[in-house]
Amino acid sequence: QVSETTCGTYSVQDADGHSYNTVLIGSRCWMASNLNVGTKITSCTNGYVGTCTTGGDTVKNQTDNSVTEKYCYGDSDANCTAKGGLYQWDEAMQYSETTPRQGICMAGWHIPTDTEWKTMEMSQGMTQVQADLTGWRGTTEGDKLKDSGLCQGRTPCDTSGFNGLLAGSRSTDGAFNNLGSYEYSWSSSVSGGSAWGRSLDIGYSSVFRNTYVQSYGFSVRCVKD
């Protein structure tokens, strides 16, 4: 394992050979972009046409098989290349609720727990009390986590190296939403039949924390073990 002191000076590769820069945020080493591993499947059985409800078209869920599957926003390969894949929680976790969990991350890395997200957010200025809340929390931490140009002129912006790209999401009905305005990311922590996640919004400088239905398609970031 590469030590935390060298985080940010090397890149890591996923199972498909895609490379990701690394960044030290607080005391932990994070991927500096969204994961883009797996074989693309279409959002609907007949391909994406807005929703999966016309002409006998049905929602195409990711499945527990030997293949890591991803959605690309709008079924476009270019969106996966630019902003990473979108994953249902079960697929991201590789069908286990055990946490911490490698899931679809590369060896030596794992999907961050809700607590690890909080720790990272607190390194950007949140208090523990703020981090423990649901909804919009903190002040400028969300802008610090966004890529440059996505803070609508607010400062500070893009100071953490996290490079949040506002990659949008996939709804349970198969529709893709909010490319360029929102980013949703999974944690590995469950809450009933849902899972904890995070959202960044181009119009807000803070970070949204909530539980989400596990069949949504969200981005995945990995953190080093």
Side-chain angles (χ1 to χ4, degrees):
Q1 288 293 334
V2 181
S3 72
E4 299 290 3
T5 57
T6 61
C7 180
T9 65
Y10 63 95
S11 60
V12 291
Q13 281 195 340
D14 65 24
D16 296 333
H18 300 130
S19 293
Y20 306 87
N21 290 332
T22 58
V23 59
L24 188 69
I25 306 179
S27 62
R28 299 301 299 276
C29 193
W30 289 73
M31 283 173 36
S33 55
N34 293 334
L35 192 63
N36 181 32
V37 70
T39 300
K40 186 188 81 171
I41 64 170
T42 58
S43 185
C44 311
T45 54
N46 294 334
Y48 181 61
V49 290
T51 58
C52 308
T53 56
T54 58
D57 214 4
T58 57
V59 172
K60 192 171 182 180
N61 290 309
Q62 295 166 347
T63 55
D64 185 5
N65 54 26
S66 59
V67 178
T68 299
E69 296 167 331
K70 66 183 178 184
Y71 300 114
C72 297
Y73 192 101
D75 284 351
S76 165
D77 290 335
N79 283 327
C80 271
T81 299
K83 296 181 184 294
L86 299 173
Y87 303 90
Q88 293 177 317
W89 188 83
D90 282 333
E91 184 74 16
M93 292 287 287
Q94 288 293 281
Y95 301 90
S96 169
E97 291 191 359
T98 303
T99 189
R101 179 75 174 164
Q102 178 183 339
I104 59 174
C105 294
M106 58 287 293
W109 294 68
H110 63 273
I111 297 171
T113 65
D114 184 52
T115 298
E116 287 173 324
W117 275 106
K118 290 179 186 178
T119 299
M120 187 264 278
E121 292 162 337
M122 287 189 291
S123 78
Q124 300 304 300
M126 272 192 209
T127 66
Q128 183 73 64
V129 170
Q130 289 172 327
D132 289 340
L133 296 173
T134 55
W136 292 107
R137 307 125 61 243
T139 53
T140 60
E141 294 80 8
D143 280 348
K144 292 176 182 178
L145 297 177
K146 290 174 192 159
D147 200 15
S148 59
L150 298 177
C151 302
Q152 296 188 321
R154 297 182 301 269
T155 56
C157 183
D158 186 32
T159 56
S160 68
F162 186 82
N163 301 320
L165 290 171
L166 306 183
S169 65
R170 178 187 180 270
S171 298
T172 56
D173 64 359
F176 294 99
N177 301 290
N178 301 312
L179 181 68
S181 56
Y182 280 86
E183 179 153 300
Y184 297 85
S185 301
W186 286 122
S187 84
S188 61
S189 303
V190 297
S191 177
S194 300
W196 288 102
R198 295 298 189 276
S199 175
L200 302 174
D201 179 339
I202 195 167
Y204 287 81
S205 61
S206 51
V207 184
F208 195 83
R209 174 178 178 258
N210 204 359
T211 58
Y212 298 94
V213 176
Q214 295 173 4
S215 53
Y216 278 115
F218 286 175
S219 300
V220 169
R221 289 291 181 109
C222 303
V223 64
K224 199 165 85 65
D225 295 349

